[in-house]
Amino acid sequence: MHAAVYRGDSVVNVEEIAVPEIGPGEMLVRVEACGICHTDLKKIAYNLLAPPRVYGHETAGVVAAVGTGVTKYRPGDRVVVFHHIPCMECFYCRRKIYAQCPVYKKVGVTAGFEPAGGGFAQFVRVMDWIVERGVERIPEGVSFERASLVEPLNTCLKAVVQCDPQPEELALVMGQGPIGLMFTMLAKRSGARVAVTDTIGARLEVARRCGADLTYDPSLVDVAAQVKDLTGGRGADLVIVAVSARGIVEQAIACSRPGARILLFAQTSATERIEASGADICVGERRLFGCYSASIDLQEESANLVFGGELPVEELISHRLPLVKIRSGFDLALHPGPKSLKIIVQPQRWS
């Protein structure tokens, strides 16, 4: 089969490798679509994990084979595969902090080599604990490309549940890439009034179609002043930081009112540092917190939101590329153009 193999030094080559073998309780899935996620791009760009690996974790496809003991699925089933699933028994799972569970941190899907998701390949091996609790069926009529958005939507839904936007509140979403746009949809669904920021005009247009009430280009206007004008001088009740940039957290604080919640979602690099006035947090009684990865408790709900059409997630897909063009997909994701949003790799295509 063909796979995009990370070889170190930020190099990814499309190569021919063996189809992974499955064992008892496992499944082989033919990958039809896999989204490019910035988490994987960071691992490649900064060489965070030892090579060789095959990345890609927003995976949708068809069951090709099942191992001994698998009765829940059969060849031909259309499925979405999560790559992290918690044990449900440890200290962190009992407190529903699943992303800190040692089993959750183990990747349970691979195309070969050390498990790393494997979705940038034509087939993946799904390990037994993922088969048990980390697979959702795709209904007929739902495209694989749409279905591949279930995992990233889950991560956003988890964060929105955590920050709990309320009707009548003003929620500010900073950044309108694919993740920011999902936050816009979900915040609007909660009943909040939603303001968003981005420096790409076309993304602000999409944001309006996804439910944004107010859109701002921070390179053209003083967003903090605009937000305070809307709120009688107070500031936003909730700020979701869906982009990583120098000074972005200070900007979020400046846009928020005393007592506001500020959610950090894009600050995933260990080298990234945040500077803020202690008084803005302490004296201003703001809550600054983070949220990371998906929740098994929201797995079915996130799938239903994507499959059921309640959210306009198709708006997010801008490019569908064959596996052989994955490096141009990486470049586009890292350096987005006016019309680029979610880039989907289709491993069964060769042109």
Side-chain angles (χ1 to χ4, degrees), residues 72-204:
K72 190 175 179 181
Y73 304 100
R74 60 185 181 182
D77 285 348
R78 306 167 78 243
V79 293
V80 169
V81 177
F82 283 77
H83 64 311
H84 289 302
I85 290 295
C87 72
M88 306 303 291
E89 298 175 353
C90 72
F91 173 92
Y92 290 108
C93 284
R94 290 195 301 272
R95 289 156 179 81
K96 296 185 179 293
I97 311 173
Y98 300 122
Q100 308 310 317
C101 163
V103 172
Y104 188 97
K105 290 177 182 291
K106 290 171 57 180
V107 179
V109 184
T110 181
F113 313 114
E114 187 71 17
F120 300 147
Q122 291 183 305
F123 291 89
V124 292
R125 169 192 167 205
V126 183
M127 298 178 195
D128 54 0
W129 76 94
I130 305 292
V131 173
E132 288 176 14
R133 300 191 300 276
V135 178
E136 295 289 333
R137 283 188 174 84
I138 304 170
E140 290 300 323
V142 175
S143 71
F144 291 111
E145 293 76 35
R146 183 184 184 95
S148 71
L149 299 174
V150 169
E151 191 273 347
L153 185 81
N154 183 307
T155 69
C156 296
L157 181 61
K158 173 186 171 183
V160 168
V161 169
Q162 186 172 329
C163 63
D164 193 24
Q166 296 294 310
E168 308 304 323
E169 287 191 322
L170 178 68
L172 174 66
V173 183
M174 304 183 80
Q176 290 296 280
I179 289 295
L181 287 163
M182 287 184 179
F183 275 123
T184 296
M185 297 176 196
L186 292 168
K188 185 65 176 179
R189 178 175 176 262
S190 75
R193 191 180 188 194
V194 182
V196 305
T197 69
D198 204 280
T199 57
I200 298 177
R203 290 186 170 185
L204 296 178

